[in-house]
Amino acid sequence: MTAALTRPDDRSGTEDPASPAPPADTTLADTTPADTAHADTAPADTAHADTVPSDAGRIGRQRSGTPVADGPGILRRQAARESSARTYARSLPIVPVRARGMTVEGADGRRYLDCLSGAGTLALGHNHPVVLAAIRGVLDTGAPLHVLDLATPVKDRFVEELFATLPPELARDARIQFCGPAGTDAVEAALKLVRTATGRRGVVAFTGAYHGMTEGALAVGGDTAIRDAIGAGTGDTVRLPFPQDYRCPFGTGGAEGERIAAHYARTLLTDPGGGVPAAAGMIVEPVQGEGGVLPAPDGWLREMRRLTAERGIALIADEVQTGLGRTGAMWGVDHAGVVPDVMVVSKAIGGSLPLAVVVYRAELDRWWPGAHAGTFRGNQLAMAAGTATIAFVREHRLHKRAALLGARLAGALRDLMPDQPAIGEVRGRGLMLGVEIVEPDAAPDACGARPAAPRLAIGVRREALARGLIVELGGRHDSVVRLLPPLTMTDVQADAVLERLADAIEAARSGHSGTAAGSGSA
């Protein structure tokens, strides 16, 4: 019997068999898209004020009118024809036909606030005007759309804009490799790069990590389900505990858990009798996204930088999801002031189109022509869209906006906790937030953590969708509700997200308690 695999990229493959549709509210036309709020050059902190409706409670729930496509038929045909590896279509049974800013409209005319944003890809939301203008600009010039790795003006502008945002110490003498159009291929390239440059094979990775779905990326990831199913090994990977507070691997949490994690890493990698071969690289996410939205503590990450520098180990920062302002800094490593040797970058840098690159110190550039390649590494439309997106984030300081709005969202969600026992912890950075859903009636462990509640989390996701809010799940038990809204989210939209999520958690908890009581009496 083959186990059901439910953990692909930005996964939750758990199907909601009875996802109710949101109520039809025809009283308010949605005028919230951030693409109109930012069309001028106003600073990001003021560009949200005057282009949104005052009624936050109804944003995203209303119908726009007559259904424009046969949504149920499309879903049936998808289920019949697409592979069983599909994920989002199971848990989010909607058929998007139009999207603008943070708003997605389904084939049935209902609208939703999108807190998934293409798994963090849509920094500016859907169809931002600067992105559309950049794409049309390339199309209108008759420029080639496919050039492999040939030099073009479009590529040159992209590299210039990207390098302007990098940590200056890295950007001064960096090299860039364009990869196949997915973050996992860039991870593969980074691993090949450091192994080629150092002549070693070992890689240090962390529990809970997610780096992609190709075999090398799976080897350094924390999930075993898919790796075991295909018989893939972990190669020369050494796995260390990733520090966290709520479910601390050392049973302490806080600064002490951080200290122990750093001490353990140093001891293991410096012990001549530890049985650990010399490593080529250490790969780390500044915030573990799929692992449950776990920020790497700043002090711990600085210690990892010191340790790798002392040992001649290349530090690889996987910024696929954390990059370009998502965490409240331009890059996730900026919070700790760490400059990695290698950065893996994808998702938001393509401006909604597929693009992935590796940026690294020149001294590592020791591979030969063709050592890493990909047919679609010259995606001109993605480079143009990416250039426009990066420039807009930088010029409007949207990373600063993400920090402020994220702190407000996190604070409001934490304020729910005294009266909402289904919330175990609220964590994250900027607009990369996670709400861990726990068993509300269970006793906490010695560190104060209650058991994860994946079934309850599924209920929260379902209730959120019924209220016109798109969210997904992550974490080790798929019990963390993840929030990845566009960086252009307005204050009004943020209030609507908070209201709907709070209602969804309470509704799911009420149903969960009723189910538990019924089961107990049966």
Side-chain angles (χ1 to χ4, degrees):
M1 179 176 176
T2 303
L5 303 179
T6 62
R7 303 174 75 88
D9 188 10
D10 305 302
R11 82 272 173 192
S12 174
T14 308
E15 190 160 6
D16 289 350
S19 296
D25 180 352
T26 60
T27 61
L28 180 66
D30 190 337
T31 57
T32 62
D35 50 8
T36 57
H38 294 283
D40 56 19
T41 56
D45 55 0
T46 61
H48 304 270
D50 299 321
T51 58
V52 295
S54 58
D55 189 346
R58 292 181 292 170
I59 294 172
R61 299 187 191 189
Q62 67 284 355
R63 288 183 187 268
S64 65
T66 305
V68 297
D70 176 18
I74 291 171
L75 289 173
R76 283 195 302 271
R77 288 188 290 276
Q78 181 190 42
R81 295 167 177 167
E82 291 190 24
S83 85
S84 58
R86 68 191 187 282
T87 55
Y88 300 113
R90 298 174 184 272
S91 56
L92 302 170
I94 60 176
V95 178
V97 293
R98 278 187 288 266
R100 193 177 182 195
M102 194 177 174
T103 304
V104 172
E105 182 177 330
D108 59 359
R110 293 186 174 95
R111 289 176 175 161
Y112 305 83
L113 289 177
D114 185 3
C115 272
L116 180 57
S117 300
T121 297
L122 303 172
L124 305 186
H126 295 273
N127 292 321
H128 194 285
V130 300
V131 172
L132 298 182
I135 294 171
R136 290 188 184 110
V138 174
L139 294 174
D140 291 346
T141 64
L145 301 183
H146 189 294
V147 293
L148 297 171
D149 63 356
L150 299 180
T152 69
V154 173
K155 178 194 274 190
D156 186 59
R157 287 192 292 270
F158 172 80
V159 174
E160 288 290 319
E161 190 61 52
L162 177 63
F163 275 40
T165 69
L166 296 175
E169 185 181 330
L170 177 61
R172 274 195 295 270
D173 194 28
R175 299 291 184 269
I176 184 170
Q177 169 68 31
F178 287 84
C179 303
T184 188
D185 188 66
V187 168
E188 297 282 349
L191 297 175
K192 288 164 65 175
L193 172 74
V194 299
R195 284 167 169 156
T196 300
T198 64
R200 309 176 203 135
R201 289 208 45 82
V203 176
V204 180
F206 294 93
T207 55
Y210 178 84
H211 298 291
M213 296 297 289
T214 50
E215 192 161 340
L218 286 170
V220 294
D223 196 348
T224 61
I226 295 172
R227 194 169 63 222
D228 291 349
I230 64 176
T234 58
D236 299 295
T237 302
V238 175
R239 214 169 305 279
L240 297 176
F242 190 88
Q244 57 167 307
D245 277 339
Y246 193 64
R247 301 191 188 280
C248 176
F250 304 104
T252 60
E256 181 64 7
E258 175 186 334
R259 185 195 67 79
I260 295 172
H263 178 74
Y264 180 75
R266 176 171 289 278
T267 299
L268 188 65
L269 296 182
T270 59
D271 182 0
V276 176
M282 172 187 285
I283 185 166
V284 62
E285 299 160 275
V287 179
Q288 285 193 346
E290 299 312 305
V293 195
L294 300 171
D298 291 343
W300 175 84
L301 191 56
R302 286 191 287 268
E303 181 59 22
M304 294 304 98
R305 172 68 285 190
R306 281 190 289 270
L307 176 59
T308 52
E310 291 169 9
R311 306 296 295 176
I313 300 170
L315 180 63
I316 305 169
D318 183 342
E319 293 267 11
V320 168
Q321 194 167 90
T322 52
L324 202 59
R326 170 61 57 189
T327 67
M330 191 59 75
W331 302 102
V333 293
D334 291 345
H335 293 283
V338 163
V339 180
D341 301 297
V342 182
M343 284 177 60
V344 180
V345 188
S346 187
K347 290 192 185 291
I349 64 160
S352 76
L353 298 179
L355 187 63
V357 303
V358 179
V359 180
Y360 53 93
R361 295 185 188 274
E363 64 195 61
L364 296 172
D365 196 28
R366 298 182 186 176
W367 47 15
W368 54 92
H372 195 80
T375 301
F376 293 101
R377 64 192 185 277
N379 188 336
Q380 299 296 284
L381 293 181
M383 292 177 195
T387 300
T389 299
I390 297 168
F392 197 90
V393 170
R394 179 173 56 80
E395 292 166 7
H396 291 270
R397 299 176 298 163
L398 291 189
H399 55 297
K400 300 290 187 184
R401 167 75 180 170
L404 293 173
L405 192 53
R408 184 165 78 83
L409 283 168
L413 289 166
R414 291 187 183 108
D415 288 343
L416 299 175
M417 292 176 67
D419 299 316
Q420 183 47 272
I423 300 177
E425 187 179 41
V426 177
R427 53 183 180 255
R429 270 186 156 152
L431 290 176
M432 187 174 181
L433 298 173
V435 180
E436 180 154 355
I437 304 300
V438 297
E439 292 293 349
D441 300 320
D445 63 17
C447 294
R450 292 195 297 278
R455 292 183 62 84
L456 177 54
I458 290 172
V460 171
R461 179 179 61 194
R462 182 172 57 246
E463 294 290 346
L465 190 67
R467 288 159 174 76
L469 179 64
I470 297 173
V471 296
E472 250 301 357
L473 307 180
R476 286 162 167 78
H477 305 284
D478 284 331
S479 61
V480 177
V481 176
R482 302 194 59 198
L483 300 177
L484 291 164
L487 309 188
T488 51
M489 179 171 63
T490 67
D491 290 334
V492 174
Q493 289 170 328
D495 290 340
V497 168
L498 286 169
E499 178 186 344
R500 295 179 193 187
L501 183 57
D503 288 350
I505 293 172
E506 180 57 28
R509 181 173 74 91
S510 298
H512 185 70
S513 298
T515 301
S519 299
S521 61

